[in-house]
Structure formats: C-alpha cells, structure tokens
C-alpha cells in the first residue's frame, strides 16, 4: 500500500477553501431555488410521541385506561347507576372480541355497575360502545432517515481525507463508512426491528358512553400498528359465493 503523505499547510489550506467554497455555492443555489416557489412550503409538526400497539397486553393497557376514564367521568353524571351500564360487545375482528372482554373486566374491577342486558324492565341502561378505525397512509415518505450514521460518517470521512491527504485517497472514508455501517445495522436490529419505529398504519379507538340521546363520556386513542397486523382490527371479508350447481336432465328412452 502506498504510504500516505500529508499535504503541506499551503496546499491543505487551498483544498479546504475549495471545499468550503463548493459547499457555500450549493447552499446559495438551493436557497435561490427555494425563493421561486409560488405555493406555501410544507412544514412538519413539532416532534411528539405516539404509542405502538403490538401485543394483546397493549390492548389490555388501553382497556384499563379507558375503564378508569369512564369511571371518573361517567359515574358522577349518572346518580342512579345501579346496573345502569351495558357494554355492547362486538365480534367483528379479533381486536373487537378481545377489547370487549378486556374492557368489561376492567369496568367491573373499577367499580362500574354493569348489566348483561341493555334494559331492566322499562328502564334503558346507559350504553358503552366503541368504534375502531384503521388508517393506512399511502404516501411513500419516510418518518426518519435510514442509516443516518452511515451518511454522516461518509461525509465527514471524505472531508477529512480531502483535508489531510490527496483527494484520490479514500482510506479514511472507507474506514469511517465501515464503522458507521456496523453501528447503523446494530441500531436497525435493536430499535428498528425490535420496536418497529413509526409506521404508515395507525389505529383510532373511540369509546362512547350514551344515556338516551345524551353523550355522558367519550375517549379517543391513537396508536401505531404494523401494517401486517391491520387484519386483526378489520372486519374479515365476506365468504365467497357458493359455486353454481349445474343440473342435468335425464331423459329416458
């Protein structure tokens, strides 16, 4: 391997000025291009947190939270609450069935008087119903850059190589790029694959307590879910129609 020969300070300064001049030229060109837009520019919302539901345990945590909020807001508004609540269970999807069961358990354990029937005599109990909506975004935009350390290390290593050594020497860039790629792969395995990160598929769960025409309490919760798990929250497709039956007439001689 050819030994690396450091550049003289004068040559190093000229190369540094060339690199800085090129970066400034690119930034000025980008700024000039942006000033010609005749439509409002897109701006992201401030960074926030959103939970991701990936297990039945997470559904149980949601049911517990909903039950506590219902007991805190609905019970004081229904003084004659002796057996005055009826949960309308649903069997539309695996999530509907599980959440109905979990929510009923949590409501009973929270002290909310529940009834197995919607009415008692001529008295209509307060209904507890929930609605589930799966939202799937079709855009191809990424929520976060892929392999950020790889790109950062590549850029820094190339600039460092141009500053210390002739521009044709890529040893420093290759070394930094290899190290950053290893770190990115580890991060992708631990955080990306284990946690899944943000997805383009989201879940909206709304629970409503109704007493006649009046809404007594309501909760709404939003979660990330994996796209492959969307079928757990959706109504299964109807069965295919039966195959047509052919009938044959037998004509005797």
């Amino acid at each position: 391997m050819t030994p690396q020969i450091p550049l003289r300070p004068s040559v190093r300064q000229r190369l540094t000025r060339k690199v800085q001049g090129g970066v400034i030229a690119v930034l000025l060109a980008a700024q000039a291009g942006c000033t010609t837009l005749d439509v409002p520019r897109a701006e992201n919302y401030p960074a926030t947190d959103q939970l991701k539901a990936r297990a039945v345990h997470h559904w149980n945590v949601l049911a517990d939270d909903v039950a506590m909020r219902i007991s805190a807001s609905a019970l004081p508004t229904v003084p004659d609450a002796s057996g005055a609540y009826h949960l309308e269970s649903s069997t539309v999807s695996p999530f509907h069935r599980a959440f109905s069961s979990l929510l009923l358990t949590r409501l009973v354990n929270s002290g909310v008087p529940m009834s197995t029937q919607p009415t008692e005599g001529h008295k209509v109990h307060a209904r507890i119903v929930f609605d589930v909506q799966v939202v799937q975004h079709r855009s191809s935009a990424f929520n976060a850059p892929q392999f950020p350390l790889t790109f950062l290390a590549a850029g820094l290593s190339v600039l460092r190589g141009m500053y210390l050594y002739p521009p044709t020497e890529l040893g420093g860039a290759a070394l930094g790029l290899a190290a950053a790629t290893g770190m990115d792969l580890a991060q992708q395995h631990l955080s990306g694959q284990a946690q899944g990160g943000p997805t383009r598929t989201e879940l909206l769960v709304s629970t409503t307590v109704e007493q006649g025409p009046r809404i007594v309490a309501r909760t709404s919760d939003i979660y990330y879910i994996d796209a492959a798990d969307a079928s757990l929250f959706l109504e299964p497709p109807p069965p295919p129609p039966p195959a047509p039956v052919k009938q044959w007439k037998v004509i005797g001689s």
Side-chain angles (χ1 to χ4, degrees), residues 14 61 78 117 119 140 149 168 202:
R14 288 198 299 270
V61 173
V78 185
Q117 302 297 325
T119 60
S140 58
L149 294 178
T168 56
E202 297 178 283

Side-chain angles (χ1 to χ4, degrees), residues 34-53:
C34 293
T35 57
T36 60
L37 291 177
D38 57 353
V39 295
R41 67 174 185 177
E43 184 175 353
N44 291 329
Y45 282 97
T48 55
D49 295 326
Q50 183 168 302
L51 297 176
K52 187 171 185 180

Side-chain angles (χ1 to χ4, degrees), residues 196-234:
T199 67
R200 309 302 296 168
T201 305
E202 297 178 283
L203 177 70
L204 172 61
V205 182
S206 299
T207 308
T208 307
V209 181
E210 304 173 355
Q211 189 178 30
R214 185 165 65 101
I215 295 178
V216 178
R218 182 172 172 83
T219 65
S220 294
D221 299 278
I222 305 173
Y223 289 86
Y224 282 125
I225 60 173
D226 290 322
D229 292 338
S231 59
L232 296 174
F233 308 89
L234 298 174

Side-chain angles (χ1 to χ4, degrees), residues 110-123:
S110 298
V112 179
M114 302 298 297
S115 174
T116 58
Q117 302 297 325
T119 60
E120 184 177 350
H122 297 288
K123 181 180 179 180

Side-chain angles (χ1 to χ4, degrees), residues 1-7 160-161 164-166 168-175:
M1 178 177 178
T2 304
Q4 298 175 350
I5 303 175
L7 298 178
R160 175 182 176 274
L164 294 177
Y165 307 106
T168 56
E169 179 60 53
L170 299 178
L175 180 61

